[in-house]
Amino acid sequence: MARINENYDKLAAGYLFPEIAKRTKAFLEKNPGVEVLRLGIGNTTEPLGPVVIDGLKKGVEKLSKVETYTGYGDEQGNAPLREAIAKMYEKRGVVLAADEVFVSDGAKPDSANIQSIFSHDSIIAVQDPAYPVYVDSNVIAGRTGKNESGTYNGLVYMECNEENSFFPKAPDQKVDLIYLCSPNNPTGAVATKEQLKEFVDYAIANKAVIIFDSAYSEFIADDSLPRSIFEIEGAKKCAIEINSFSKSAGFTGVRLGWSIVPKQLVIEGALEGKVNALWNRRQTTMFNGASNIVQDGGLAALSEQGLKENRQVIDYYMENARIIKDCLDNLKIKNYGGVNAPYIWMKVPTGLSSWDFFNKLLEECHVVGTPGSGFGPAGEGFFRLSAFGHRKNIEKAVASLKANLKLESD
Ligand code: MLT
Protein backbone atom coordinates (compact mmCIF):
# COMPACT_ATOMS: atom_id res chain seq x y z
CA MET A 1 0.00 0.00 0.00
CA ALA A 2 1.42 3.34 -1.01
CA ARG A 3 1.59 5.91 1.76
CA ILE A 4 2.36 9.57 1.59
CA ASN A 5 5.43 11.23 3.06
CA GLU A 6 3.78 12.32 6.29
CA ASN A 7 6.38 14.99 6.87
CA TYR A 8 4.38 17.12 4.41
CA ASP A 9 1.60 17.19 6.99
CA LYS A 10 3.93 19.02 9.38
CA LEU A 11 4.22 21.97 6.98
CA ALA A 12 2.00 25.04 7.07
CA ALA A 13 -0.85 24.57 4.61
CA GLY A 14 0.61 26.68 1.79
CA TYR A 15 4.00 28.02 0.79
CA LEU A 16 4.24 31.70 1.71
CA PHE A 17 4.13 33.36 -1.72
CA PRO A 18 1.26 31.32 -3.21
CA GLU A 19 -0.65 32.11 0.02
CA ILE A 20 -0.10 35.83 -0.57
CA ALA A 21 -1.18 35.45 -4.20
CA LYS A 22 -4.32 33.60 -3.05
CA ARG A 23 -5.28 36.33 -0.57
CA THR A 24 -4.58 39.05 -3.13
CA LYS A 25 -6.78 37.27 -5.68
CA ALA A 26 -9.59 36.98 -3.13
CA PHE A 27 -9.30 40.73 -2.42
CA LEU A 28 -9.48 41.52 -6.15
CA GLU A 29 -12.53 39.32 -6.58
CA LYS A 30 -14.26 41.33 -3.86
CA ASN A 31 -12.97 44.65 -5.19
CA PRO A 32 -12.97 44.37 -8.98
CA GLY A 33 -11.14 47.09 -10.86
CA VAL A 34 -8.92 48.10 -7.93
CA GLU A 35 -5.25 48.48 -8.86
CA VAL A 36 -3.16 46.41 -6.48
CA LEU A 37 0.48 47.45 -6.09
CA ARG A 38 2.67 44.43 -5.54
CA LEU A 39 5.69 44.78 -3.27
CA GLY A 40 5.38 41.23 -2.02
CA ILE A 41 7.44 38.52 -3.71
CA GLY A 42 10.92 39.57 -4.82
CA ASN A 43 10.14 39.17 -8.48
CA THR A 44 12.17 41.05 -11.08
CA THR A 45 10.27 43.32 -13.48
CA GLU A 46 12.81 45.07 -15.70
CA PRO A 47 13.78 43.69 -19.13
CA LEU A 48 17.08 41.94 -19.78
CA GLY A 49 19.86 44.02 -21.30
CA PRO A 50 20.76 43.73 -25.01
CA VAL A 51 23.93 41.71 -24.39
CA VAL A 52 22.04 39.02 -22.47
CA ILE A 53 19.27 38.95 -25.07
CA ASP A 54 21.96 38.47 -27.71
CA GLY A 55 23.48 35.63 -25.71
CA LEU A 56 20.10 33.94 -25.46
CA LYS A 57 19.47 34.43 -29.18
CA LYS A 58 22.84 32.90 -30.00
CA GLY A 59 21.87 29.95 -27.84
CA VAL A 60 18.67 29.52 -29.86
CA GLU A 61 20.51 30.03 -33.15
CA LYS A 62 22.98 27.26 -32.32
CA LEU A 63 20.09 24.84 -32.04
CA SER A 64 19.06 25.55 -35.63
CA LYS A 65 22.19 24.10 -37.26
CA VAL A 66 23.48 20.57 -37.25
CA GLU A 67 27.06 21.79 -36.73
CA THR A 68 26.23 23.65 -33.53
CA TYR A 69 23.23 21.77 -32.20
CA THR A 70 23.61 20.30 -28.71
CA GLY A 71 21.41 17.89 -26.80
CA TYR A 72 22.15 16.97 -23.20
CA GLY A 73 25.06 18.93 -21.85
CA ASP A 74 27.15 18.29 -18.77
CA GLU A 75 24.88 18.01 -15.74
CA GLN A 76 27.26 20.29 -13.87
CA GLY A 77 26.99 23.03 -16.50
CA ASN A 78 28.93 23.96 -19.62
CA ALA A 79 32.67 24.45 -19.10
CA PRO A 80 32.78 28.10 -20.33
CA LEU A 81 30.06 29.12 -17.87
CA ARG A 82 31.66 27.27 -14.95
CA GLU A 83 34.95 28.96 -15.79
CA ALA A 84 33.33 32.39 -16.08
CA ILE A 85 31.72 31.96 -12.65
CA ALA A 86 35.07 30.91 -11.15
CA LYS A 87 36.67 34.00 -12.79
CA MET A 88 34.07 36.24 -11.22
CA TYR A 89 35.10 34.94 -7.78
CA GLU A 90 38.74 35.56 -8.66
CA LYS A 91 37.95 39.30 -8.81
CA ARG A 92 37.00 39.02 -5.13
CA GLY A 93 40.26 37.28 -4.31
CA VAL A 94 38.65 33.83 -4.19
CA VAL A 95 40.35 31.13 -6.24
CA LEU A 96 38.07 28.27 -7.27
CA ALA A 97 38.51 25.40 -9.68
CA ALA A 98 35.81 25.21 -12.36
CA ASP A 99 34.83 21.75 -11.09
CA GLU A 100 33.91 23.25 -7.73
CA VAL A 101 31.18 25.23 -9.57
CA PHE A 102 27.88 23.42 -10.25
CA VAL A 103 25.50 25.28 -12.55
CA SER A 104 21.82 24.74 -11.83
CA ASP A 105 18.37 26.06 -12.64
CA GLY A 106 18.36 28.39 -9.64
CA ALA A 107 19.24 28.97 -6.02
CA LYS A 108 15.85 27.83 -4.73
CA PRO A 109 16.20 24.21 -5.93
CA ASP A 110 19.84 24.08 -4.83
CA SER A 111 19.04 25.38 -1.37
CA ALA A 112 16.22 22.84 -1.09
CA ASN A 113 18.23 19.90 -2.44
CA ILE A 114 21.60 20.41 -0.78
CA GLN A 115 20.41 18.89 2.52
CA SER A 116 19.95 15.54 0.76
CA ILE A 117 23.69 14.83 0.78
CA PHE A 118 23.90 15.13 4.57
CA SER A 119 23.05 12.61 7.23
CA HIS A 120 19.42 12.25 8.21
CA ASP A 121 20.17 12.95 11.86
CA SER A 122 21.96 16.25 11.15
CA ILE A 123 20.97 19.03 13.52
CA ILE A 124 19.91 22.06 11.51
CA ALA A 125 20.30 25.70 12.53
CA VAL A 126 18.51 28.49 10.67
CA GLN A 127 18.35 32.22 11.03
CA ASP A 128 14.95 33.27 12.30
CA PRO A 129 13.40 34.80 10.23
CA ALA A 130 14.66 32.94 7.15
CA TYR A 131 13.84 32.20 3.52
CA PRO A 132 11.26 29.39 4.04
CA VAL A 133 12.93 26.87 1.73
CA TYR A 134 15.73 26.04 4.22
CA VAL A 135 13.26 25.01 6.90
CA ASP A 136 10.64 23.38 4.70
CA SER A 137 13.15 21.21 2.80
CA ASN A 138 14.46 19.83 6.08
CA VAL A 139 10.94 19.29 7.41
CA ILE A 140 10.05 17.31 4.27
CA ALA A 141 13.27 15.30 4.67
CA GLY A 142 12.15 14.34 8.16
CA ARG A 143 14.81 16.17 10.18
CA THR A 144 12.33 17.91 12.45
CA GLY A 145 9.48 17.03 14.71
CA LYS A 146 6.08 18.70 14.66
CA ASN A 147 5.47 22.41 14.48
CA GLU A 148 4.36 23.47 17.92
CA SER A 149 3.38 27.06 18.53
CA GLY A 150 5.22 28.24 15.45
CA THR A 151 8.53 26.39 15.82
CA TYR A 152 9.58 22.95 14.64
CA ASN A 153 10.86 20.62 17.31
CA GLY A 154 14.46 19.68 16.72
CA LEU A 155 15.35 22.77 14.71
CA VAL A 156 17.74 25.36 16.16
CA TYR A 157 16.47 28.90 15.60
CA MET A 158 19.08 31.65 15.59
CA GLU A 159 16.99 34.70 16.34
CA CYS A 160 17.65 37.82 14.30
CA ASN A 161 16.21 40.88 15.97
CA GLU A 162 16.70 44.59 16.45
CA GLU A 163 19.14 43.99 19.31
CA ASN A 164 21.59 42.00 17.16
CA SER A 165 20.93 44.08 14.03
CA PHE A 166 19.33 41.01 12.48
CA PHE A 167 22.45 38.86 12.37
CA PRO A 168 22.88 36.17 15.02
CA LYS A 169 25.84 34.89 16.98
CA ALA A 170 27.02 31.36 16.23
CA PRO A 171 24.93 28.79 18.14
CA ASP A 172 25.87 27.98 21.73
CA GLN A 173 25.10 24.31 21.15
CA LYS A 174 26.44 21.78 18.68
CA VAL A 175 24.72 21.83 15.29
CA ASP A 176 25.68 20.19 11.99
CA LEU A 177 24.22 22.32 9.18
CA ILE A 178 23.87 26.09 9.42
CA TYR A 179 21.91 28.08 6.85
CA LEU A 180 23.02 31.70 6.47
CA CYS A 181 21.73 34.21 3.96
CA SER A 182 23.54 37.50 3.36
CA PRO A 183 22.41 40.00 2.14
CA ASN A 184 19.50 38.60 4.03
CA ASN A 185 16.12 37.66 2.75
CA PRO A 186 13.92 38.90 4.42
CA THR A 187 15.62 41.41 6.74
CA GLY A 188 18.03 43.04 4.27
CA ALA A 189 20.83 42.78 6.87
CA VAL A 190 24.34 42.08 5.58
CA ALA A 191 26.87 40.12 7.64
CA THR A 192 30.26 41.70 8.17
CA LYS A 193 33.51 39.78 7.64
CA GLU A 194 33.90 39.51 11.42
CA GLN A 195 30.42 38.06 11.83
CA LEU A 196 31.03 35.47 9.12
CA LYS A 197 34.43 34.65 10.59
CA GLU A 198 32.74 33.75 13.88
CA PHE A 199 30.54 31.24 12.02
CA VAL A 200 33.47 29.84 10.03
CA ASP A 201 35.47 29.31 13.24
CA TYR A 202 32.44 27.69 14.86
CA ALA A 203 31.88 25.40 11.85
CA ILE A 204 35.52 24.29 11.73
CA ALA A 205 35.60 23.66 15.48
CA ASN A 206 32.33 21.69 15.40
CA LYS A 207 32.81 19.99 12.00
CA ALA A 208 29.63 21.71 10.87
CA VAL A 209 28.80 22.91 7.35
CA ILE A 210 27.54 26.40 6.51
CA ILE A 211 25.10 26.61 3.60
CA PHE A 212 25.62 30.20 2.52
CA ASP A 213 22.95 31.72 0.31
CA SER A 214 24.39 34.77 -1.43
CA ALA A 215 21.64 35.25 -4.03
CA TYR A 216 21.59 39.01 -3.31
CA SER A 217 25.38 39.55 -3.23
CA GLU A 218 25.35 41.94 -6.19
CA PHE A 219 23.16 44.37 -4.24
CA ILE A 220 25.99 45.10 -1.81
CA ALA A 221 27.23 48.62 -2.45
CA ASP A 222 29.60 48.82 0.55
CA ASP A 223 32.92 47.29 -0.52
CA SER A 224 33.90 46.46 3.04
CA LEU A 225 31.10 43.86 3.22
CA PRO A 226 31.74 40.31 1.98
CA ARG A 227 29.90 39.18 -1.15
CA SER A 228 31.00 35.59 -0.74
CA ILE A 229 31.69 33.49 2.35
CA PHE A 230 34.86 32.34 0.65
CA GLU A 231 36.31 35.81 1.27
CA ILE A 232 36.64 34.55 4.86
CA GLU A 233 39.75 32.56 5.68
CA GLY A 234 39.00 28.90 6.30
CA ALA A 235 35.55 28.98 4.67
CA LYS A 236 36.48 26.49 1.96
CA LYS A 237 36.91 23.90 4.68
CA CYS A 238 33.38 24.31 5.99
CA ALA A 239 31.03 26.11 3.58
CA ILE A 240 28.93 25.61 0.48
CA GLU A 241 27.75 28.73 -1.33
CA ILE A 242 24.58 29.04 -3.40
CA ASN A 243 23.97 31.92 -5.78
CA SER A 244 21.77 32.81 -8.71
CA PHE A 245 21.34 34.90 -11.83
CA SER A 246 17.72 35.56 -10.80
CA LYS A 247 18.02 38.82 -8.94
CA SER A 248 21.35 40.13 -10.27
CA ALA A 249 20.63 39.50 -13.96
CA GLY A 250 16.82 39.36 -14.06
CA PHE A 251 16.68 35.57 -14.57
CA THR A 252 13.78 34.85 -12.17
CA GLY A 253 11.78 33.39 -15.06
CA VAL A 254 14.75 32.37 -17.21
CA ARG A 255 16.19 30.18 -14.40
CA LEU A 256 19.92 29.84 -13.77
CA GLY A 257 22.00 29.56 -10.62
CA TRP A 258 25.03 27.82 -9.20
CA SER A 259 26.49 26.21 -6.13
CA ILE A 260 30.11 26.14 -5.04
CA VAL A 261 31.14 22.94 -3.30
CA PRO A 262 34.83 23.28 -2.44
CA LYS A 263 37.01 20.18 -2.60
CA GLN A 264 38.65 21.25 0.66
CA LEU A 265 35.36 20.81 2.50
CA VAL A 266 35.84 18.06 5.08
CA ILE A 267 33.22 16.62 7.41
CA GLU A 268 32.81 13.60 9.65
CA GLY A 269 33.46 10.53 7.53
CA ALA A 270 34.18 12.50 4.35
CA LEU A 271 37.70 13.49 3.43
CA GLU A 272 38.66 16.21 0.92
CA GLY A 273 36.72 15.94 -2.33
CA LYS A 274 34.01 13.62 -1.00
CA VAL A 275 31.27 16.24 -0.47
CA ASN A 276 32.03 17.72 -3.90
CA ALA A 277 31.77 14.18 -5.37
CA LEU A 278 28.50 13.57 -3.53
CA TRP A 279 26.87 16.73 -4.90
CA ASN A 280 28.15 15.72 -8.33
CA ARG A 281 26.54 12.30 -7.84
CA ARG A 282 23.29 13.90 -6.71
CA GLN A 283 23.15 16.27 -9.65
CA THR A 284 24.13 13.70 -12.28
CA THR A 285 21.43 11.38 -10.93
CA MET A 286 18.59 13.84 -10.49
CA PHE A 287 19.29 16.77 -12.79
CA ASN A 288 20.03 16.95 -16.50
CA GLY A 289 21.73 20.32 -16.48
CA ALA A 290 20.44 23.86 -16.99
CA SER A 291 19.00 24.75 -20.40
CA ASN A 292 21.74 25.23 -23.01
CA ILE A 293 20.06 28.43 -24.29
CA VAL A 294 19.91 29.86 -20.79
CA GLN A 295 23.55 29.03 -20.12
CA ASP A 296 24.52 31.08 -23.18
CA GLY A 297 22.48 33.93 -21.72
CA GLY A 298 24.26 33.48 -18.39
CA LEU A 299 27.65 33.60 -20.04
CA ALA A 300 26.68 36.86 -21.73
CA ALA A 301 25.47 38.23 -18.39
CA LEU A 302 28.93 37.67 -16.93
CA SER A 303 30.73 39.44 -19.82
CA GLU A 304 32.06 42.92 -19.13
CA GLN A 305 29.16 44.56 -20.95
CA GLY A 306 26.66 42.14 -19.43
CA LEU A 307 27.82 43.04 -15.92
CA LYS A 308 27.46 46.75 -16.76
CA GLU A 309 23.90 46.21 -17.95
CA ASN A 310 23.07 44.18 -14.84
CA ARG A 311 24.50 46.95 -12.67
CA GLN A 312 22.14 49.51 -14.21
CA VAL A 313 19.13 47.38 -13.35
CA ILE A 314 20.40 46.69 -9.82
CA ASP A 315 20.86 50.45 -9.32
CA TYR A 316 17.32 50.98 -10.55
CA TYR A 317 15.92 48.56 -7.95
CA MET A 318 18.09 50.13 -5.27
CA GLU A 319 16.65 53.54 -6.11
CA ASN A 320 13.23 51.94 -5.56
CA ALA A 321 14.49 50.78 -2.17
CA ARG A 322 15.57 54.32 -1.35
CA ILE A 323 12.13 55.68 -2.31
CA ILE A 324 10.37 53.12 -0.11
CA LYS A 325 12.66 53.76 2.86
CA ASP A 326 12.24 57.48 2.46
CA CYS A 327 8.46 57.08 2.61
CA LEU A 328 8.64 54.88 5.73
CA ASP A 329 11.01 57.37 7.39
CA ASN A 330 8.55 60.18 6.60
CA LEU A 331 5.76 58.15 8.16
CA LYS A 332 8.05 57.51 11.15
CA ILE A 333 7.83 53.77 10.61
CA LYS A 334 10.95 51.98 11.84
CA ASN A 335 12.63 50.15 9.01
CA TYR A 336 15.81 48.21 8.28
CA GLY A 337 17.66 46.86 5.23
CA GLY A 338 17.16 48.32 1.76
CA VAL A 339 20.69 49.76 1.55
CA ASN A 340 22.86 46.80 0.52
CA ALA A 341 19.86 44.59 -0.17
CA PRO A 342 16.61 44.88 -2.15
CA TYR A 343 14.36 44.15 0.84
CA ILE A 344 13.05 46.63 3.39
CA TRP A 345 12.15 45.13 6.73
CA MET A 346 9.69 47.35 8.54
CA LYS A 347 8.37 47.11 12.04
CA VAL A 348 4.58 46.85 12.01
CA PRO A 349 3.72 50.27 13.37
CA THR A 350 0.33 49.50 14.80
CA GLY A 351 0.83 46.63 17.22
CA LEU A 352 -1.03 44.34 14.80
CA SER A 353 0.23 40.90 13.82
CA SER A 354 2.14 40.66 10.53
CA TRP A 355 -0.83 39.04 8.74
CA ASP A 356 -3.31 41.57 10.14
CA PHE A 357 -1.06 44.31 8.86
CA PHE A 358 -0.99 42.55 5.47
CA ASN A 359 -4.80 42.83 5.36
CA LYS A 360 -4.77 46.43 6.56
CA LEU A 361 -2.20 47.50 3.96
CA LEU A 362 -4.10 45.72 1.21
CA GLU A 363 -7.46 47.16 2.21
CA GLU A 364 -6.39 50.72 3.03
CA CYS A 365 -3.57 51.25 0.52
CA HIS A 366 -4.04 48.44 -2.03
CA VAL A 367 -0.40 47.54 -1.44
CA VAL A 368 0.78 43.93 -1.13
CA GLY A 369 3.78 43.11 1.04
CA THR A 370 5.01 40.01 2.83
CA PRO A 371 4.15 39.30 6.47
CA GLY A 372 7.31 38.85 8.52
CA SER A 373 5.84 35.91 10.43
CA GLY A 374 5.81 33.95 7.15
CA PHE A 375 9.60 33.75 7.49
CA GLY A 376 9.63 32.39 11.03
CA PRO A 377 8.44 33.20 14.54
CA ALA A 378 10.92 36.05 15.07
CA GLY A 379 9.42 37.74 11.99
CA GLU A 380 6.14 38.32 13.84
CA GLY A 381 5.48 42.05 14.15
CA PHE A 382 7.56 42.79 11.05
CA PHE A 383 6.68 43.20 7.41
CA ARG A 384 8.80 42.97 4.24
CA LEU A 385 8.54 45.31 1.26
CA SER A 386 10.35 44.35 -1.92
CA ALA A 387 12.16 46.92 -4.05
CA PHE A 388 11.70 44.86 -7.22
CA GLY A 389 9.13 46.64 -9.37
CA HIS A 390 8.47 49.27 -12.00
CA ARG A 391 9.28 52.74 -10.71
CA LYS A 392 5.80 54.05 -11.40
CA ASN A 393 4.26 51.28 -9.29
CA ILE A 394 6.69 51.94 -6.45
CA GLU A 395 5.82 55.63 -6.64
CA LYS A 396 2.09 54.85 -6.65
CA ALA A 397 2.58 52.50 -3.67
CA VAL A 398 4.42 55.06 -1.56
CA ALA A 399 1.90 57.78 -2.49
CA SER A 400 -0.89 55.48 -1.38
CA LEU A 401 0.88 54.65 1.88
CA LYS A 402 1.33 58.34 2.60
CA ALA A 403 -2.29 59.18 1.74
CA ASN A 404 -4.19 56.16 3.02
CA LEU A 405 -2.38 54.28 5.77
CA LYS A 406 -4.20 54.99 9.02
CA LEU A 407 -1.62 54.99 11.77
CA GLU A 408 -2.81 57.22 14.62
CA SER A 409 -6.16 55.56 15.34
CA ASP A 410 -4.45 52.22 16.04
C1 MLT B 1 11.27 36.23 -2.16
O1 MLT B 1 10.42 37.06 -2.43
O2 MLT B 1 11.60 35.94 -1.02
C2 MLT B 1 11.93 35.52 -3.28
O3 MLT B 1 11.68 36.14 -4.47
C3 MLT B 1 11.47 34.16 -3.41
C4 MLT B 1 12.44 33.37 -4.21
O4 MLT B 1 13.46 33.87 -4.67
O5 MLT B 1 12.16 32.19 -4.34
Side-chain angles (χ1 to χ4, degrees):
M1 181 172 61
R3 293 180 52 217
I4 61 158
N5 174 355
E6 287 176 357
N7 293 316
Y8 276 86
D9 289 339
K10 297 178 191 161
L11 296 167
Y15 186 64
L16 179 59
F17 297 106
E19 179 63 29
I20 290 171
K22 193 174 101 190
R23 292 186 188 213
T24 309
K25 189 164 168 257
F27 172 82
L28 280 170
E29 274 161 13
K30 266 208 249 148
N31 302 277
V34 163
E35 185 186 15
V36 164
L37 303 155
R38 293 168 200 266
L39 276 62
I41 190 166
N43 199 1
T44 50
T45 54
E46 300 313 296
L48 302 177
V51 163
V52 178
I53 293 292
D54 251 19
L56 291 166
K57 281 185 184 160
K58 275 186 199 136
V60 172
E61 197 54 35
K62 281 200 268 180
L63 296 180
S64 72
K65 298 190 195 82
V66 73
E67 299 79 24
T68 49
Y69 172 85
T70 52
Y72 293 127
D74 294 339
E75 292 90 343
Q76 307 83 350
N78 294 338
L81 182 58
R82 296 175 91 188
E83 281 155 19
I85 292 170
K87 273 235 157 61
M88 186 179 74
Y89 277 86
E90 221 171 276
K91 288 191 209 142
R92 298 173 188 163
V94 176
V95 179
L96 295 169
D99 61 359
E100 293 176 304
V101 179
F102 293 84
V103 173
S104 71
D105 58 350
K108 183 177 184 177
D110 280 6
S111 49
N113 293 330
I114 196 75
Q115 49 74 30
S116 68
I117 61 170
F118 294 100
S119 157
H120 188 253
D121 60 3
S122 303
I123 297 173
I124 310 297
V126 289
Q127 286 172 274
D128 175 22
Y131 181 45
V133 176
Y134 317 143
V135 172
D136 286 7
S137 58
N138 279 290
V139 173
I140 291 167
R143 287 200 186 85
T144 70
K146 288 205 177 103
N147 190 329
E148 276 168 349
S149 37
T151 58
Y152 286 99
N153 294 329
L155 209 64
V156 175
Y157 289 85
M158 302 183 291
E159 190 171 326
C160 299
N161 51 36
E162 289 174 291
E163 284 71 47
N164 61 15
S165 302
F166 300 100
F167 196 81
K169 291 258 168 231
D172 51 17
Q173 67 188 96
K174 200 170 170 338
V175 301
D176 304 309
L177 288 186
I178 304 169
Y179 288 81
L180 292 179
C181 175
S182 176
N184 190 264
N185 179 12
T187 67
V190 187
T192 62
K193 285 189 176 151
E194 294 70 32
Q195 285 172 318
L196 290 187
K197 177 81 175 109
E198 189 194 321
F199 273 90
V200 167
D201 290 347
Y202 170 94
I204 291 173
N206 291 280
K207 293 195 177 149
V209 173
I210 299 168
I211 313 292
F212 189 72
D213 180 348
S214 56
Y216 300 92
S217 57
E218 293 311 303
F219 291 80
I220 295 179
D222 177 347
D223 282 335
S224 71
L225 295 168
R227 292 178 172 82
S228 162
I229 195 159
F230 300 122
E231 291 175 43
I232 312 303
E233 202 193 324
K236 280 193 196 163
K237 292 189 198 135
C238 64
I240 289 172
E241 181 161 301
I242 297 171
N243 205 325
S244 164
F245 288 79
S246 284
K247 311 296 161 86
S248 59
F251 274 37
T252 40
V254 181
R255 307 306 306 148
L256 195 65
W258 71 89
S259 287
I260 307 291
V261 187
K263 298 220 185 98
Q264 281 178 38
L265 183 61
V266 171
I267 57 168
E268 193 81 37
L271 297 177
E272 284 200 7
K274 173 80 177 177
V275 179
N276 175 287
L278 270 188
W279 184 242
N280 189 54
R281 183 70 171 85
R282 193 269 166 210
Q283 291 299 78
T284 50
T285 305
M286 302 198 189
F287 182 57
N288 257 335
S291 147
N292 43 14
I293 300 166
V294 169
Q295 291 191 65
D296 278 334
L299 197 54
L302 294 182
S303 67
E304 206 176 313
Q305 185 56 24
L307 290 172
K308 266 192 210 150
E309 290 173 5
N310 297 344
R311 170 56 42 206
Q312 281 168 9
V313 182
I314 289 169
D315 289 347
Y316 177 92
Y317 292 133
M318 290 314 291
E319 175 60 10
N320 288 347
R322 195 198 58 73
I323 293 169
I324 297 167
K325 276 182 84 67
D326 195 45
C327 162
L328 297 177
D329 289 344
N330 278 329
L331 293 172
K332 304 216 173 341
I333 296 174
K334 244 185 173 177
N335 65 90
Y336 302 90
V339 177
N340 290 293
Y343 295 123
I344 295 103
W345 188 239
M346 59 180 270
K347 199 158 179 173
V348 174
T350 53
L352 293 175
S353 74
S354 301
W355 274 112
D356 285 344
F357 187 71
F358 172 89
N359 293 334
K360 176 180 166 73
L361 202 63
L362 186 55
E363 273 154 30
E364 288 178 7
C365 307
H366 305 159
V367 170
V368 173
T370 308
S373 55
F375 297 99
E380 183 56 274
F382 287 88
F383 200 76
R384 194 193 77 175
L385 294 177
S386 159
F388 294 104
H390 298 308
R391 178 69 40 78
K392 85 174 166 359
N393 284 351
I394 300 287
E395 281 167 349
K396 276 190 200 167
V398 301
S400 176
L401 250 81
K402 281 182 188 158
N404 303 319
L405 185 62
K406 295 192 191 84
L407 291 171
E408 58 283 37
S409 59
D410 303 286

